Amino acid sequence: MRSGFVSIIGRPNVGKSTLLNCITEHKIAITSNKAGTTRNIIQGIYNEPNYQIVFVDTPGIHKPINKLGKLLNKQAFSLTKDIDAILFVVDACDGLGTGDRRIIENLKNTSSPVILVLNKIDKLDKEQIIKRICDYKDLYPFAEIVPVSAFKADNIEHLIEVIKKYLNDSIRYFDENTITTNSRKFMISEYVREKLLNLTEQEIPHSITCYTSQFSEETNIINIVVDIIVDRDSLKKIVIGKNGSLLKQVGIEARQDIEELLGKKVYLELYVKTIANWRDKEKYLKDLGFTDFE
Ligand SMILES: Nc1nc2c(ncn2[C@@H]2O[C@H](COP(=O)(O)OP(=O)(O)O)[C@@H](O)[C@H]2O)c(=O)[nH]1
Ligand SMILES: [Mg+2]
């Protein structure tokens, strides 16, 4: 038995969460084409008869703008210590920029092996991929460099084989049916937030958060209430949509994911509430599971 913890770090939007879902073959982390989608530490567990790898997905590392932003950065960086390996995911299409250079500087404080994962290679040809590898390879003593496409599940099996070399433990941390340590209530609120991210315009999602306020199971159905918290009334109108159309669509799509997760019929209710400046209020951040305040 070999096992270990592997953290996934990188700039926002490079495909960290997509990679986690691809490796575990489950929708553990929500994804979108907007930066700042992942806000919490998400653990996804990869199981094989003789292997268990706990992957830790992190919020993207970026310039912090408010209290929530600062917390997210701190969480992401703290996960580069005491870990068997670090997957540093980069967008092979975007290429090397100041964001990646800043992260590489920070990696110099870690002693864990760093595997450079060049993601989104489905958008490049072979020559371009080789050029990208050359851009990065001398900037840091990467333990390995693995090009993948998380989206097309290309070269993922190879990545897992590579990771296996760096696992230091020999115990099974979780039973082999466990796919995540995140609670069901958290996963449910995340699915709702994902639909909002994908159904609203660019700048809106950062002002939204979701919270599962009720979960009650009956014989044939589970009744669930999710609160959608926005920071101003004008946003509330947008989230609800004309005659409630947007909220309705969010509900339809989220319910499908939730039913798949729970394996049971679900009755989902969504409420939209305004709480000004929730992103700067410790109380609300704590309710949402952020506890690491300085
Ligand atoms: N073409 C392509 N797009 C990808 C790939 N991996 C992720 N994406 C897209 O990149 C965006 C950001 O993905 P996400 O996993 O949320 O990024 P994160 O912020 O690093 O967690 C989404 O729109 C994904 O569909 C990939 O391998 N190829
Ligand atoms: Mg993410």
Side-chain angles (χ1 to χ4, degrees):
M1 180 72 204
R2 296 274 298 280
S3 60
F5 278 73
V6 174
S7 70
I8 308 175
I9 67 161
R11 285 189 303 117
N13 242 2
V14 294
K16 299 179 293 298
S17 298
T18 308
L19 180 66
L20 176 77
N21 292 345
C22 181
I23 289 171
T24 58
E25 296 179 0
H26 282 93
K27 188 185 174 88
I28 289 174
I30 63 165
T31 65
S32 87
N33 61 0
K34 298 181 176 77
T37 301
T38 307
R39 288 187 183 152
N40 294 59
I41 302 299
I42 315 274
Q43 291 196 344
I45 299 152
Y46 172 85
N47 288 298
E48 263 187 47
N50 293 316
Y51 288 93
Q52 183 165 68
I53 313 172
V54 182
F55 287 93
V56 189
D57 184 17
T58 63
I61 299 168
H62 55 97
K63 277 202 182 129
I65 37 168
N66 50 31
K67 195 166 253 174
L68 177 61
K70 283 184 194 143
L71 273 175
L72 297 182
N73 262 355
K74 200 169 160 215
Q75 287 186 340
F77 276 125
S78 67
L79 279 166
T80 57
K81 298 191 182 108
D82 300 325
I83 211 121
D84 295 76
I86 295 166
L87 300 187
F88 172 36
V89 184
V90 301
D91 186 328
C93 210
D94 276 2
L96 180 62
T98 50
D100 281 345
R101 287 184 194 274
R102 207 152 46 87
I103 295 171
I104 290 168
E105 275 310 304
N106 276 283
L107 286 175
K108 291 177 181 160
N109 302 321
T110 177
S111 51
S112 310
V114 179
I115 300 169
L116 177 70
V117 179
L118 216 59
N119 189 31
K120 308 197 185 181
I121 57 163
D122 51 288
K123 294 206 236 171
L124 302 179
D125 62 32
K126 234 186 183 136
E127 254 172 49
Q128 289 171 310
I129 295 169
I130 291 164
K131 184 178 174 305
R132 282 289 178 251
I133 293 174
C134 292
D135 292 344
Y136 282 91
K137 73 174 181 23
D138 296 326
L139 296 178
Y140 188 85
F142 294 111
E144 312 268 351
I145 298 179
V146 185
V148 303
S149 167
F151 199 61
K152 300 215 160 149
D154 187 13
N155 214 26
I156 299 298
E157 282 173 20
H158 174 65
L159 176 63
I160 293 168
E161 289 310 308
V162 165
I163 293 168
K164 284 177 180 173
K165 291 198 271 180
Y166 298 93
L167 303 175
N168 293 308
D169 272 347
S170 53
I171 54 160
R172 192 178 282 286
Y173 312 105
F174 302 100
D175 84 69
E176 56 200 330
N177 299 319
T178 308
I179 53 159
T180 180
T181 54
N182 294 104
S183 71
R184 290 190 299 186
K185 276 185 161 182
F186 172 74
M187 304 267 284
I188 290 163
S189 63
E190 285 286 272
Y191 288 165
V192 173
R193 197 162 63 82
E194 180 184 64
K195 307 312 167 196
L196 286 163
L197 280 163
N198 291 326
L199 291 166
T200 54
E201 298 296 327
Q202 198 66 34
E203 65 281 7
I204 290 171
H206 297 292
S207 312
I208 298 178
T209 192
C210 297
Y211 186 72
T212 307
S213 55
Q214 268 185 55
F215 185 103
S216 60
E217 190 157 1
E218 292 173 25
T219 320
N220 298 318
I221 199 162
I222 305 173
N223 298 300
I224 295 171
V225 178
V226 175
D227 293 336
I228 298 168
I229 298 163
V230 297
D231 64 1
R232 52 190 187 274
D233 281 331
S234 56
L235 202 56
K236 194 170 168 174
K237 272 196 195 141
I238 296 173
V239 166
I240 293 168
K242 206 173 175 203
N243 300 322
S245 57
L246 194 121
L247 200 60
K248 190 174 170 204
Q249 190 59 28
V250 168
I252 290 168
E253 292 183 21
R255 186 167 54 82
Q256 286 173 352
D257 282 355
I258 298 168
E259 286 184 340
E260 195 162 315
L261 174 77
L262 303 174
K264 203 164 170 177
K265 207 166 150 47
V266 161
Y267 178 68
L268 176 65
E269 275 183 281
L270 302 174
Y271 291 107
V272 190
K273 297 181 180 173
T274 306
I275 298 171
N277 304 325
W278 66 264
R279 283 174 296 176
D280 278 319
K281 288 189 178 160
E282 246 170 64
K283 181 187 177 305
Y284 295 111
L285 292 174
K286 275 185 185 152
D287 282 350
L288 294 165
F290 296 100
T291 51
D292 194 13
F293 291 94
E294 264 179 344

